[in-house]
Amino acid sequence: AGTAEQLTSQAVPDGFSIFGRAFKENNDEVYVGKSKANAEDPTVGSPVEPGGFFKLFLTDTDEIWINSLMTGDGVFWYVEAAS
């Protein structure tokens, strides 16, 4: 809690998206940013409420940083797959 963590690297094909959702069991918002500093600054990072969703178009999942305010809170994510 309070220290942003970078997602592990996974390439994302051009035009595909990364879908994320905050755990429904989270105690507070988590913040999403494109850098450690952005995710740790609530005036810059994007808040995601418990159970909330986000969708980003990036080329790699390691471009995303997540900061929880409470220990144990977090998100899960998926990369869109071609059909």
PDB file of all heavy atoms in Angstrom, residues 31 38 40-46:
ATOM      1  N   TYR A  31      -5.153   3.283  -7.620  1.00  0.00           N
ATOM      2  CA  TYR A  31      -4.826   4.294  -8.618  1.00  0.00           C
ATOM      3  C   TYR A  31      -3.999   3.687  -9.731  1.00  0.00           C
ATOM      4  O   TYR A  31      -3.064   2.928  -9.486  1.00  0.00           O
ATOM      5  CB  TYR A  31      -4.085   5.466  -7.971  1.00  0.00           C
ATOM      6  CG  TYR A  31      -5.020   6.310  -7.142  1.00  0.00           C
ATOM      7  CD1 TYR A  31      -5.306   5.978  -5.830  1.00  0.00           C
ATOM      8  CD2 TYR A  31      -5.660   7.403  -7.700  1.00  0.00           C
ATOM      9  CE1 TYR A  31      -6.194   6.732  -5.075  1.00  0.00           C
ATOM     10  CE2 TYR A  31      -6.549   8.166  -6.953  1.00  0.00           C
ATOM     11  CZ  TYR A  31      -6.811   7.825  -5.647  1.00  0.00           C
ATOM     12  OH  TYR A  31      -7.699   8.558  -4.917  1.00  0.00           O
ATOM     13  N   ASN A  38       3.087   8.864 -11.177  1.00  0.00           N
ATOM     14  CA  ASN A  38       1.682   9.178 -11.479  1.00  0.00           C
ATOM     15  C   ASN A  38       0.726   8.332 -10.657  1.00  0.00           C
ATOM     16  O   ASN A  38      -0.277   8.834 -10.154  1.00  0.00           O
ATOM     17  CB  ASN A  38       1.382   8.983 -12.965  1.00  0.00           C
ATOM     18  CG  ASN A  38       1.958  10.067 -13.836  1.00  0.00           C
ATOM     19  OD1 ASN A  38       2.486  11.067 -13.353  1.00  0.00           O
ATOM     20  ND2 ASN A  38       1.899   9.868 -15.143  1.00  0.00           N
ATOM     21  N   GLU A  40       1.236   7.059  -7.792  1.00  0.00           N
ATOM     22  CA  GLU A  40       1.341   7.404  -6.376  1.00  0.00           C
ATOM     23  C   GLU A  40       0.796   8.791  -6.051  1.00  0.00           C
ATOM     24  O   GLU A  40       0.696   9.155  -4.888  1.00  0.00           O
ATOM     25  CB  GLU A  40       2.800   7.286  -5.919  1.00  0.00           C
ATOM     26  CG  GLU A  40       3.277   5.849  -5.897  1.00  0.00           C
ATOM     27  CD  GLU A  40       4.745   5.689  -5.544  1.00  0.00           C
ATOM     28  OE1 GLU A  40       5.443   6.716  -5.378  1.00  0.00           O
ATOM     29  OE2 GLU A  40       5.196   4.532  -5.437  1.00  0.00           O
ATOM     30  N   ASP A  41       0.416   9.553  -7.072  1.00  0.00           N
ATOM     31  CA  ASP A  41      -0.133  10.905  -6.873  1.00  0.00           C
ATOM     32  C   ASP A  41      -1.624  10.888  -7.194  1.00  0.00           C
ATOM     33  O   ASP A  41      -2.006  10.807  -8.358  1.00  0.00           O
ATOM     34  CB  ASP A  41       0.592  11.896  -7.784  1.00  0.00           C
ATOM     35  CG  ASP A  41       0.157  13.329  -7.584  1.00  0.00           C
ATOM     36  OD1 ASP A  41      -0.882  13.579  -6.926  1.00  0.00           O
ATOM     37  OD2 ASP A  41       0.851  14.216  -8.110  1.00  0.00           O
ATOM     38  N   PRO A  42      -2.499  10.966  -6.184  1.00  0.00           N
ATOM     39  CA  PRO A  42      -3.936  10.884  -6.442  1.00  0.00           C
ATOM     40  C   PRO A  42      -4.495  12.034  -7.279  1.00  0.00           C
ATOM     41  O   PRO A  42      -5.595  11.932  -7.798  1.00  0.00           O
ATOM     42  CB  PRO A  42      -4.558  10.868  -5.042  1.00  0.00           C
ATOM     43  CG  PRO A  42      -3.504  11.352  -4.121  1.00  0.00           C
ATOM     44  CD  PRO A  42      -2.194  11.082  -4.772  1.00  0.00           C
ATOM     45  N   THR A  43      -3.716  13.105  -7.462  1.00  0.00           N
ATOM     46  CA  THR A  43      -4.179  14.193  -8.329  1.00  0.00           C
ATOM     47  C   THR A  43      -3.865  13.907  -9.791  1.00  0.00           C
ATOM     48  O   THR A  43      -4.357  14.595 -10.674  1.00  0.00           O
ATOM     49  CB  THR A  43      -3.553  15.547  -7.925  1.00  0.00           C
ATOM     50  OG1 THR A  43      -2.137  15.495  -8.129  1.00  0.00           O
ATOM     51  CG2 THR A  43      -3.855  15.885  -6.477  1.00  0.00           C
ATOM     52  N   VAL A  44      -3.044  12.873 -10.049  1.00  0.00           N
ATOM     53  CA  VAL A  44      -2.647  12.517 -11.414  1.00  0.00           C
ATOM     54  C   VAL A  44      -3.150  11.119 -11.794  1.00  0.00           C
ATOM     55  O   VAL A  44      -3.663  10.911 -12.884  1.00  0.00           O
ATOM     56  CB  VAL A  44      -1.108  12.584 -11.579  1.00  0.00           C
ATOM     57  CG1 VAL A  44      -0.694  12.196 -12.989  1.00  0.00           C
ATOM     58  CG2 VAL A  44      -0.591  13.967 -11.227  1.00  0.00           C
ATOM     59  N   GLY A  45      -2.987  10.157 -10.895  1.00  0.00           N
ATOM     60  CA  GLY A  45      -3.416   8.783 -11.164  1.00  0.00           C
ATOM     61  C   GLY A  45      -4.928   8.694 -11.311  1.00  0.00           C
ATOM     62  O   GLY A  45      -5.674   9.521 -10.782  1.00  0.00           O
ATOM     63  N   SER A  46      -5.379   7.697 -12.031  1.00  0.00           N
ATOM     64  CA  SER A  46      -6.813   7.484 -12.239  1.00  0.00           C
ATOM     65  C   SER A  46      -7.353   6.545 -11.168  1.00  0.00           C
ATOM     66  O   SER A  46      -6.909   5.394 -11.076  1.00  0.00           O
ATOM     67  CB  SER A  46      -7.077   6.869 -13.617  1.00  0.00           C
ATOM     68  OG  SER A  46      -6.638   7.751 -14.625  1.00  0.00           O
TER      69      SER A  46
END
